[in-house]
């Protein structure tokens, strides 16, 4: 069940990237944990379901629920669009909020916040 939720979130746009290892210009590369945003019912619900899951981004892949998917990235200022391999027109948008926080932008003004996980 958690695997399905993780994959659905990845497709829906809940994936991110983090921990710069010094060699990457991509602020998403690294490990991220979802942080429920108070007052945001969607974020709180997803946060409860994903409370022990980590999202990992590398230079060319995203790992969620133990499954890796090859991806490409397109930077637009503080916005980074993550495209799963084979779907060039259905990317997931992430907004860089700071060095250790990102938000997955969802339709209708919703967002899901992620915090960088120290390695």
């Amino acid at each position: 069940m958690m695997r399905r939720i993780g994959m659905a979130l990845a497709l829906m746009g809940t994936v991110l990237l983090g921990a710069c290892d010094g060699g990457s210009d991509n602020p998403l590369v690294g490990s991220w944990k979802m942080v429920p945003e108070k007052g945001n019912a969607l974020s709180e619900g997803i946060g409860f379901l994903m409370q022990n899951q980590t999202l990992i981004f590398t230079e060319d892949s995203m790992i969620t629920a133990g499954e890796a998917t090859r991806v490409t990235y397109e930077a637009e200022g503080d916005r980074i669009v993550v495209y799963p391999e084979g779907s060039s027109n259905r990317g997931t948008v992430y907004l860089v909020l700071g060095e250790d926080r990102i938000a997955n932008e969802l339709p209708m003004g919703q967002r899901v916040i992620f915090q960088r996980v120290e390695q």
Side-chain angles (χ1 to χ4, degrees):
M1 171 132 179
M2 290 306 287
R3 181 175 175 206
R4 286 186 201 162
I5 292 169
M7 291 304 294
L9 292 175
L11 292 174
M12 165 170 114
T14 314
V15 196
L16 334 199
L17 324 150
C20 275
D21 59 11
S24 175
D25 291 334
N26 185 341
L28 295 182
V29 171
S31 299
W32 298 88
K33 184 173 181 176
M34 202 281 211
V35 179
E37 184 177 27
K38 299 283 188 213
N40 179 334
L42 177 64
S43 177
E44 288 180 11
I46 293 172
F48 177 75
L49 294 173
M50 291 185 63
Q51 62 188 343
N52 294 317
Q53 286 197 321
T54 301
L55 301 172
I56 302 169
F57 287 85
T58 69
E59 290 296 326
D60 63 357
S61 66
M62 174 181 83
I63 303 165
T64 181
E67 245 183 73
T69 301
R70 294 189 60 81
V71 298
T72 57
Y73 304 97
E74 183 178 296
E76 302 169 356
D78 287 343
R79 294 167 50 98
I80 299 174
V81 182
V82 179
Y83 295 101
E85 185 174 66
S87 32
S88 60
N89 62 345
R90 300 201 69 183
T92 301
V93 177
Y94 295 94
L95 179 62
V96 178
L97 302 176
E99 186 175 316
D100 296 324
R101 288 175 66 86
I102 58 173
N104 174 223
E105 292 187 334
L106 303 174
M108 299 175 58
Q110 295 289 323
R111 67 184 194 169
V112 178
I113 306 293
F114 291 84
Q115 180 89 26
R116 187 182 306 275
V117 176
E118 295 298 323
Q119 299 280 339

